[in-house]
């Protein structure tokens, strides 16, 4: 994309840029090379991805071309696309993100689906009190609140910087009256008086060994506090379960995202806690077939 000779002879049209960049990202090892190229080019042109398809033969002006080159260079060096464009779609909603928060993942949508399904089974029309532990960008709290008008969510995080991003997302969706942001460790800011209908969490769950072997594009770019848990990977979930047991109403739900590596161990820990009905403890698989969501109901 940089040889002046080629630039003079053949114009940098949208299609040519997409083709060149997709090939470049593939060589860099991206599994989503074409998508990355489209998202970055749309961002540089200030248009939607769909609009690129009706502009294949359009030549780029100098300003968006310079902006696009810079984005491609940074992507080539490993910066995630979501941090470059400043947003990520999750559950059909757009979330602002920056390196203070984990980029919401498609697997986490299974947690939201489970939470909304379980919420439907709670009788009545009154408010549902929910905690989202480790809210990050606020993706889970906001997706639940947008789809469940009864929801009142405490969105908790240990990171002040993450909460600042969550605050901007909550304001973007005008949910300040239904989502309260709290700075704290797990459920310590919540009264342990069995008043919650549901506790949701996508906590850090990566063991030190897994973290050391993680794709550098994730390990070096996304916040360590969002990913790394401890030597086993189960430590945060082990601490969360007894706290959730005290905060949840009888019949309330605990829904946790985890790694397939620790799924069975965490299910056993949950079954061993007498507060939860052992026959309600179950694991839900993601689209790749991996055990990803642990769900259980507090005994009535
Ligand atoms: C895996 S990220 C999940 C972010 C977001 N909920 C999502 O699903 O995209 C975990 C989040 O938990 C926060 N966190 C880590 N330890 C915590 C703790 N002990 N108490 C509260 N939040 C914590 C991190 O700062 C991070 O934002």
């Amino acid at each position: 994309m940089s040889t002046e000779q080629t630039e003079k002879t053949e114009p940098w049209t949208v299609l040519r840029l997409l083709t060149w960049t997709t090939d470049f990202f593939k060589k860099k090892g991206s599994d989503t090379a074409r998508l990355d190229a489209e998202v970055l080019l749309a961002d540089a042109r200030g248009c939607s991805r769909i609009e690129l398809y009706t502009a294949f033969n359009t030549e780029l002006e100098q300003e968006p071309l310079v902006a696009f080159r810079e984005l491609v260079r940074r992507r080539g060096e490993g910066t995630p696309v979501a941090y470059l464009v400043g947003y990520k779609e999750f559950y059909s909603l757009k979330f602002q993100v920056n390196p203070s928060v984990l980029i919401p993942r498609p697997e986490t949508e299974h947690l939201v689906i489970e939470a909304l399904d379980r919420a439907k089974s709670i009788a009545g029309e009154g408010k549902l009190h929910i905690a989202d532990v480790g809210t990050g960008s606020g993706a889970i709290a906001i997706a639940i609140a947008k789809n469940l008008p009864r929801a009142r969510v405490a969105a908790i995080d240990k990171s002040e910087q993450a909460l600042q991003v969550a605050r901007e997302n909550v304001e973007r969706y005008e949910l300040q009256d239904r989502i309260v942001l709290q700075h704290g460790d797990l459920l310590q800011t919540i009264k342990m008086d069995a008043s919650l209908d549901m506790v949701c969490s996508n906590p850090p769950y990566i063991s030190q060994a897994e973290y050391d072997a993680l794709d550098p594009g994730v390990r070096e770019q996304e916040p360590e506090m969002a990913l790394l848990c401890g030597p086993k990977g189960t430590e945060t979930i082990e601490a969360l379960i007894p706290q959730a047991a005290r905060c949840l109403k009888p019949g309330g739900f605990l829904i946790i995202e985890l790694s397939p590596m620790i799924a069975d161990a965490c299910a056993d820990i949950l079954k061993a806690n007498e507060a939860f009905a052992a026959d309600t403890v179950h694991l839900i698989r993601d689209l790749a077939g991996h055990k990803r969501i642990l769900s259980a109901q507090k005994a009535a």
Side-chain angles (χ1 to χ4, degrees):
M1 209 188 352
S2 58
T3 59
E4 276 185 26
Q5 187 63 37
T6 322
E7 269 183 50
K8 275 177 194 150
T9 52
E10 212 181 321
W12 283 108
T13 60
V14 164
L15 182 58
R16 187 163 167 241
L17 282 167
L18 285 178
T19 308
W20 188 96
T21 309
T22 302
D23 189 44
F24 174 69
F25 287 161
K26 272 187 192 157
K27 285 183 190 142
K28 289 274 177 187
S30 170
D31 296 334
T32 51
R34 172 73 184 202
L35 178 65
D36 292 359
E38 287 183 9
V39 172
L40 295 181
L41 186 53
D43 187 69
R45 289 187 79 228
C47 69
S48 67
R49 265 179 65 214
I50 289 297
E51 283 170 306
L52 296 176
Y53 281 77
T54 54
F56 274 172
N57 296 322
T58 307
E59 196 176 335
L60 244 67
E61 305 274 341
Q62 196 55 26
E63 200 179 314
L65 186 59
V66 169
F68 182 60
R69 278 192 180 128
E70 177 61 8
L71 291 170
V72 171
R73 183 188 67 74
R74 292 179 61 199
R75 175 70 193 122
E77 287 174 0
T79 306
V81 170
Y83 289 157
L84 290 173
V85 298
Y87 72 88
K88 176 74 182 176
E89 280 193 17
F90 174 81
Y91 215 78
S92 301
L93 298 165
K94 207 168 173 175
F95 289 94
Q96 187 184 316
V97 292
N98 68 26
S100 299
V101 295
L102 186 94
I103 299 165
R105 303 294 203 269
E107 303 88 272
T108 307
E109 295 186 345
H110 294 282
L111 187 156
V112 175
I113 293 168
E114 172 70 359
L116 295 175
D117 276 356
R118 294 289 149 195
K120 276 187 217 144
S121 73
I122 302 175
E125 307 215 328
K127 292 174 189 165
L128 292 181
H129 295 283
I130 298 171
D132 171 23
V133 180
T135 198
S137 63
I140 294 171
I142 291 169
I144 290 175
K146 282 289 283 179
N147 289 282
L148 187 64
R150 298 169 69 190
R152 299 294 180 275
V153 189
I156 306 159
D157 209 289
K158 213 168 141 179
S159 155
E160 291 268 24
Q161 293 95 321
L163 284 173
Q164 186 50 40
V165 177
R167 183 166 296 113
E168 283 168 35
N169 284 316
V170 167
E171 284 170 8
R172 175 195 179 102
Y173 287 106
E174 298 183 350
L175 288 166
Q176 301 93 310
D177 55 337
R178 294 201 288 124
I179 298 181
V180 178
L181 296 163
Q182 296 183 354
H183 181 229
D185 182 10
L186 300 180
L187 286 161
Q188 298 296 335
T189 53
I190 305 285
K191 276 193 193 156
M192 302 276 166
D193 64 352
S195 58
L196 292 182
D197 294 283
M198 190 178 287
V199 172
C200 296
S201 183
N202 174 15
Y205 53 67
I206 295 182
S207 69
Q208 185 67 56
E210 281 177 277
Y211 187 75
D212 293 341
L214 209 58
D215 175 356
V218 175
R219 193 182 60 235
E220 289 164 14
Q221 304 282 340
E222 299 195 60
E224 183 181 295
M225 200 202 289
L227 297 162
L228 180 60
C229 176
K232 295 183 291 178
T234 55
E235 292 86 347
T236 307
I237 293 173
E238 277 186 87
L240 177 63
I241 289 172
Q243 292 187 23
R246 275 177 277 147
C247 291
L248 282 169
K249 289 177 185 168
F253 296 96
L254 173 60
I255 305 169
I256 303 174
E257 178 173 329
L258 35 62
S259 125
M261 316 271 283
I262 58 168
D264 290 327
C266 291
D268 288 343
I269 294 166
L270 195 46
K271 280 178 192 158
N273 187 311
E274 286 175 3
F276 292 93
D279 60 344
T280 67
V281 176
H282 64 284
L283 288 159
I284 299 162
R285 291 177 191 267
D286 61 23
L287 293 178
H290 299 131
K291 292 173 182 170
R292 183 64 65 186
I293 307 295
L294 177 60
S295 177
Q297 191 168 17
K298 187 170 165 181

